[in-house]
Amino acid sequence: MAVWDRIVAGLAKTRRALADGFHGALGASPRGRVVSFEDLEAALIQADIGVRTTERLLTELKRSGDHEEGAVRKRLREVIAATLRPAVDTQPQTARPLVVLAVGVNGVGKTTTVAKLAARARSEGRSVLLAACDTFRAAAIEQLRVWGDRLGVDVVHQQPGSDPAAVAFDAVTAAKARGIDVVFIDSAGRLHTKHSLMDELAKVKRVIAKAEPGAPHEILLVLDATVGQNGLSQARAFHAALGVTGVVVTKVDGTSKGGIVLSVVEELGVPVKWLGLGESADALVPFDADAFAEGLVGATASSAGPLG
Ligand code: GDP
């Protein structure tokens, strides 16, 4: 399936939730079906688009003055795409080794995302090294090693309890010595000690730069779409501590809260680079603003067609 279709299919639950709200916002008029903006506001917030972003979208919709269903849907899709388009990053990544640090709280899909990115890089013919820097949990190291075996990729790791920054340093140094193209670094994400976690990650980042000046070239924040608006405060904390260069939104497939992507883009101003659409190694697609807008609002070519 093409990326566009996968994104639209992945957003089915969110689209359905929005469509239900949209139908609830419809009233009859002699000219056709018209939209109550008040009810539409509730529908957008329900899809986890966030109050601030919803207000801005509605301001844009009201500007055109047209309340007819088809026109509102078409305009909504345009406004959503325009909001997301600047979040698409087209910068080529030329560093070698390219060092990518993945961060995010436990359970968001960090390790799975690292594995998916590694699988993708391998399929493009690039050599890959993985680093298991969640040394806090033995199971996390093991999980990455299992992925490494499955993908045929080496995993740099040490004993549980060892210094994560030392593991990262070893991995980057080994990648340089071996002429590896990309190093993906998985990190810890325990929540109950948030401050020391941020300090630890900041240290990992500093030590990576000692092994390779200019690295990490990418700090990817992994966010779980199913937590919706709660993910925003996580995002702010990681961004403040580390300077995130890109966001991966995971589990978009299983949630009606895909609208969170709009809030993340608007609040953080950081590009969304990837969408996680399932658990398998190939269930990761590059972000596409126009496909995402269609995924949320539905196809609008025929303005009279039903949503979703
Ligand atoms: P970590 O603690 O952040 O490293 O999270 P894991 O990578 O261990 O993932 C936690 C769970 O989420 C696992 O069961 C994954 O299979 C699942 N998961 C990760 N990404 C996705 C996704 O995009 N879609 C779905 N449906 N599940 C995912």
Side-chain angles (χ1 to χ4, degrees):
M1 217 197 283
V3 167
W4 182 289
D5 297 330
R6 292 177 71 186
I7 292 176
V8 172
L11 283 162
K13 276 194 183 170
T14 305
R15 181 166 60 254
R16 216 169 296 133
L18 196 58
D20 288 347
F22 216 108
H23 284 301
L26 287 174
S29 92
R31 287 191 302 118
R33 304 211 288 177
V34 295
V35 177
S36 145
F37 282 135
E38 216 165 274
D39 292 336
L40 181 59
E41 177 175 10
L44 292 170
I45 291 173
Q46 193 67 35
D48 263 67
I49 287 176
V51 175
R52 242 176 67 181
T53 310
T54 295
E55 296 303 333
R56 201 181 52 70
L57 295 180
L58 281 174
T59 306
E60 300 271 337
L61 290 175
K62 285 173 185 165
R63 196 169 289 157
S64 82
D66 196 342
H67 285 236
E68 188 273 321
E69 181 195 2
V72 171
R73 279 181 49 210
K74 188 160 176 286
R75 184 81 189 112
L76 179 62
R77 181 173 157 177
E78 285 165 4
V79 174
I80 288 175
T83 303
L84 295 174
R85 231 172 266 135
V88 178
D89 184 57
T90 50
Q91 295 272 317
Q93 294 176 316
T94 51
R96 188 161 179 268
L98 184 75
V99 181
V100 180
L101 173 62
V103 300
V105 306
N106 279 342
V108 293
K110 211 170 21 305
T111 305
T112 309
T113 297
V114 162
K116 289 172 176 176
L117 288 168
R120 195 178 178 93
R122 289 294 300 122
S123 74
E124 292 165 354
R126 292 190 285 164
S127 55
V128 173
L129 195 60
L130 297 176
C133 290
D134 184 356
T135 58
F136 200 68
R137 294 185 305 149
I141 300 173
E142 191 47 37
Q143 191 189 346
L144 197 66
R145 291 182 66 187
V146 169
W147 272 114
D149 282 347
R150 204 180 297 169
L151 300 172
V153 168
D154 283 346
V155 180
V156 175
H157 62 94
Q158 291 179 10
Q159 291 304 310
S162 57
D163 180 1
V167 180
F169 187 89
D170 282 357
V172 175
T173 307
K176 286 170 73 174
R178 295 192 215 165
I180 294 280
D181 294 321
V182 206
V183 188
F184 293 107
I185 299 173
D186 192 16
S187 65
R190 56 192 179 279
L191 249 193
H192 50 284
T193 52
K194 204 163 170 184
H195 284 293
S196 61
L197 172 63
M198 294 305 169
D199 290 345
E200 175 183 304
L201 292 173
K203 181 180 166 194
V204 168
K205 183 183 169 185
R206 278 196 311 277
V207 169
I208 289 171
K210 281 190 187 148
E212 173 68 3
H217 308 93
E218 180 99 277
I219 299 181
L220 285 181
L221 172 66
V222 183
L223 283 180
D224 176 345
T226 62
V227 308
Q229 288 289 311
N230 292 335
L232 266 188
S233 58
Q234 289 171 22
R236 284 194 206 99
F238 279 97
H239 194 38
L242 301 168
V244 167
T245 63
V247 176
V248 182
V249 183
T250 61
K251 310 186 195 180
V252 174
D253 51 304
T255 183
S256 60
K257 297 177 176 176
I260 182 64
V261 168
L262 278 145
S263 293
V264 169
V265 166
E266 192 134 299
E267 295 255 337
L268 258 62
V270 171
V272 176
K273 301 213 166 167
W274 303 96
L275 297 175
L277 298 172
E279 296 187 90
S280 62
D282 64 352
L284 184 82
V285 294
F287 183 68
D288 182 303
D290 293 285
F292 199 89
E294 175 170 320
L296 283 185
V297 182
T300 56
S302 143
S303 62
L307 271 179

